[in-house]
mmCIF file with all atom_site columns, all heavy atoms in Angstrom:
data_model
loop_
_atom_site.group_PDB
_atom_site.id
_atom_site.type_symbol
_atom_site.label_atom_id
_atom_site.label_alt_id
_atom_site.label_comp_id
_atom_site.label_asym_id
_atom_site.label_entity_id
_atom_site.label_seq_id
_atom_site.pdbx_PDB_ins_code
_atom_site.Cartn_x
_atom_site.Cartn_y
_atom_site.Cartn_z
_atom_site.occupancy
_atom_site.B_iso_or_equiv
_atom_site.pdbx_formal_charge
_atom_site.auth_seq_id
_atom_site.auth_comp_id
_atom_site.auth_asym_id
_atom_site.auth_atom_id
_atom_site.pdbx_PDB_model_num
ATOM 1  N N   . ILE A 1 7  ? 91.593 114.697 100.136 1.00 92.00 ? 7  ILE A N   1
ATOM 2  C CA  . ILE A 1 7  ? 92.944 114.461 100.658 1.00 92.00 ? 7  ILE A CA  1
ATOM 3  C C   . ILE A 1 7  ? 92.989 114.747 102.153 1.00 92.00 ? 7  ILE A C   1
ATOM 4  O O   . ILE A 1 7  ? 93.555 113.963 102.933 1.00 92.00 ? 7  ILE A O   1
ATOM 5  C CB  . ILE A 1 7  ? 93.979 115.300 99.882  1.00 92.00 ? 7  ILE A CB  1
ATOM 6  C CG1 . ILE A 1 7  ? 94.033 114.841 98.429  1.00 92.00 ? 7  ILE A CG1 1
ATOM 7  C CG2 . ILE A 1 7  ? 95.351 115.212 100.542 1.00 92.00 ? 7  ILE A CG2 1
ATOM 8  C CD1 . ILE A 1 7  ? 94.894 115.697 97.542  1.00 92.00 ? 7  ILE A CD1 1
ATOM 9  N N   . MET A 1 8  ? 92.386 115.859 102.569 1.00 92.00 ? 8  MET A N   1
ATOM 10 C CA  . MET A 1 8  ? 92.389 116.202 103.993 1.00 92.00 ? 8  MET A CA  1
ATOM 11 C C   . MET A 1 8  ? 91.606 115.169 104.812 1.00 92.00 ? 8  MET A C   1
ATOM 12 O O   . MET A 1 8  ? 92.038 114.771 105.906 1.00 92.00 ? 8  MET A O   1
ATOM 13 C CB  . MET A 1 8  ? 91.807 117.588 104.213 1.00 92.00 ? 8  MET A CB  1
ATOM 14 C CG  . MET A 1 8  ? 91.839 118.029 105.645 1.00 92.00 ? 8  MET A CG  1
ATOM 15 S SD  . MET A 1 8  ? 91.343 119.742 105.771 1.00 92.00 ? 8  MET A SD  1
ATOM 16 C CE  . MET A 1 8  ? 91.253 119.925 107.517 1.00 92.00 ? 8  MET A CE  1
ATOM 17 N N   . GLN A 1 9  ? 90.485 114.712 104.291 1.00 92.00 ? 9  GLN A N   1
ATOM 18 C CA  . GLN A 1 9  ? 89.685 113.736 105.020 1.00 92.00 ? 9  GLN A CA  1
ATOM 19 C C   . GLN A 1 9  ? 90.398 112.395 105.114 1.00 92.00 ? 9  GLN A C   1
ATOM 20 O O   . GLN A 1 9  ? 90.386 111.748 106.163 1.00 92.00 ? 9  GLN A O   1
ATOM 21 C CB  . GLN A 1 9  ? 88.314 113.583 104.356 1.00 92.00 ? 9  GLN A CB  1
ATOM 22 C CG  . GLN A 1 9  ? 87.452 114.817 104.529 1.00 92.00 ? 9  GLN A CG  1
ATOM 23 C CD  . GLN A 1 9  ? 86.142 114.725 103.769 1.00 92.00 ? 9  GLN A CD  1
ATOM 24 O OE1 . GLN A 1 9  ? 85.920 113.804 102.993 1.00 92.00 ? 9  GLN A OE1 1
ATOM 25 N NE2 . GLN A 1 9  ? 85.273 115.693 103.997 1.00 92.00 ? 9  GLN A NE2 1
ATOM 26 N N   . PHE A 1 10 ? 91.039 111.957 104.044 1.00 94.00 ? 10 PHE A N   1
ATOM 27 C CA  . PHE A 1 10 ? 91.789 110.699 104.076 1.00 94.00 ? 10 PHE A CA  1
ATOM 28 C C   . PHE A 1 10 ? 92.945 110.794 105.070 1.00 94.00 ? 10 PHE A C   1
ATOM 29 O O   . PHE A 1 10 ? 93.160 109.899 105.883 1.00 94.00 ? 10 PHE A O   1
ATOM 30 C CB  . PHE A 1 10 ? 92.325 110.355 102.681 1.00 94.00 ? 10 PHE A CB  1
ATOM 31 C CG  . PHE A 1 10 ? 93.232 109.165 102.682 1.00 94.00 ? 10 PHE A CG  1
ATOM 32 C CD1 . PHE A 1 10 ? 92.706 107.886 102.743 1.00 94.00 ? 10 PHE A CD1 1
ATOM 33 C CD2 . PHE A 1 10 ? 94.613 109.323 102.656 1.00 94.00 ? 10 PHE A CD2 1
ATOM 34 C CE1 . PHE A 1 10 ? 93.539 106.772 102.760 1.00 94.00 ? 10 PHE A CE1 1
ATOM 35 C CE2 . PHE A 1 10 ? 95.450 108.232 102.670 1.00 94.00 ? 10 PHE A CE2 1
ATOM 36 C CZ  . PHE A 1 10 ? 94.920 106.948 102.725 1.00 94.00 ? 10 PHE A CZ  1
ATOM 37 N N   . THR A 1 11 ? 93.675 111.900 105.008 1.00 95.00 ? 11 THR A N   1
ATOM 38 C CA  . THR A 1 11 ? 94.806 112.096 105.909 1.00 95.00 ? 11 THR A CA  1
ATOM 39 C C   . THR A 1 11 ? 94.338 112.185 107.360 1.00 95.00 ? 11 THR A C   1
ATOM 40 O O   . THR A 1 11 ? 94.984 111.633 108.259 1.00 95.00 ? 11 THR A O   1
ATOM 41 C CB  . THR A 1 11 ? 95.580 113.372 105.516 1.00 95.00 ? 11 THR A CB  1
ATOM 42 O OG1 . THR A 1 11 ? 95.942 113.289 104.145 1.00 95.00 ? 11 THR A OG1 1
ATOM 43 C CG2 . THR A 1 11 ? 96.823 113.540 106.360 1.00 95.00 ? 11 THR A CG2 1
ATOM 44 N N   . ALA A 1 12 ? 93.224 112.853 107.593 1.00 95.00 ? 12 ALA A N   1
ATOM 45 C CA  . ALA A 1 12 ? 92.702 112.988 108.955 1.00 95.00 ? 12 ALA A CA  1
ATOM 46 C C   . ALA A 1 12 ? 92.325 111.636 109.538 1.00 95.00 ? 12 ALA A C   1
ATOM 47 O O   . ALA A 1 12 ? 92.583 111.368 110.717 1.00 95.00 ? 12 ALA A O   1
ATOM 48 C CB  . ALA A 1 12 ? 91.494 113.923 108.966 1.00 95.00 ? 12 ALA A CB  1
ATOM 49 N N   . LYS A 1 13 ? 91.726 110.775 108.706 1.00 94.00 ? 13 LYS A N   1
ATOM 50 C CA  . LYS A 1 13 ? 91.373 109.439 109.187 1.00 94.00 ? 13 LYS A CA  1
ATOM 51 C C   . LYS A 1 13 ? 92.612 108.645 109.562 1.00 94.00 ? 13 LYS A C   1
ATOM 52 O O   . LYS A 1 13 ? 92.626 107.930 110.564 1.00 94.00 ? 13 LYS A O   1
ATOM 53 C CB  . LYS A 1 13 ? 90.559 108.675 108.135 1.00 94.00 ? 13 LYS A CB  1
ATOM 54 C CG  . LYS A 1 13 ? 89.139 109.169 107.995 1.00 94.00 ? 13 LYS A CG  1
ATOM 55 C CD  . LYS A 1 13 ? 88.336 108.258 107.082 1.00 94.00 ? 13 LYS A CD  1
ATOM 56 C CE  . LYS A 1 13 ? 88.395 108.760 105.678 1.00 94.00 ? 13 LYS A CE  1
ATOM 57 N NZ  . LYS A 1 13 ? 87.529 108.022 104.755 1.00 94.00 ? 13 LYS A NZ  1
ATOM 58 N N   . LEU A 1 14 ? 93.647 108.773 108.788 1.00 96.00 ? 14 LEU A N   1
ATOM 59 C CA  . LEU A 1 14 ? 94.897 108.060 109.064 1.00 96.00 ? 14 LEU A CA  1
ATOM 60 C C   . LEU A 1 14 ? 95.599 108.628 110.302 1.00 96.00 ? 14 LEU A C   1
ATOM 61 O O   . LEU A 1 14 ? 95.995 107.886 111.202 1.00 96.00 ? 14 LEU A O   1
ATOM 62 C CB  . LEU A 1 14 ? 95.813 108.149 107.838 1.00 96.00 ? 14 LEU A CB  1
ATOM 63 C CG  . LEU A 1 14 ? 97.123 107.383 107.902 1.00 96.00 ? 14 LEU A CG  1
ATOM 64 C CD1 . LEU A 1 14 ? 96.836 105.878 107.885 1.00 96.00 ? 14 LEU A CD1 1
ATOM 65 C CD2 . LEU A 1 14 ? 98.003 107.767 106.721 1.00 96.00 ? 14 LEU A CD2 1
ATOM 66 N N   . VAL A 1 15 ? 95.724 109.944 110.352 1.00 97.00 ? 15 VAL A N   1
ATOM 67 C CA  . VAL A 1 15 ? 96.430 110.597 111.459 1.00 97.00 ? 15 VAL A CA  1
ATOM 68 C C   . VAL A 1 15 ? 95.646 110.461 112.762 1.00 97.00 ? 15 VAL A C   1
ATOM 69 O O   . VAL A 1 15 ? 96.244 110.400 113.846 1.00 97.00 ? 15 VAL A O   1
ATOM 70 C CB  . VAL A 1 15 ? 96.708 112.078 111.105 1.00 97.00 ? 15 VAL A CB  1
ATOM 71 C CG1 . VAL A 1 15 ? 97.265 112.846 112.287 1.00 97.00 ? 15 VAL A CG1 1
ATOM 72 C CG2 . VAL A 1 15 ? 97.657 112.155 109.925 1.00 97.00 ? 15 VAL A CG2 1
#
Side-chain angles (χ1 to χ4, degrees):
I7 295 173
M8 183 172 173
Q9 291 175 352
F10 173 78
T11 306
K13 287 188 268 186
L14 184 68
V15 172

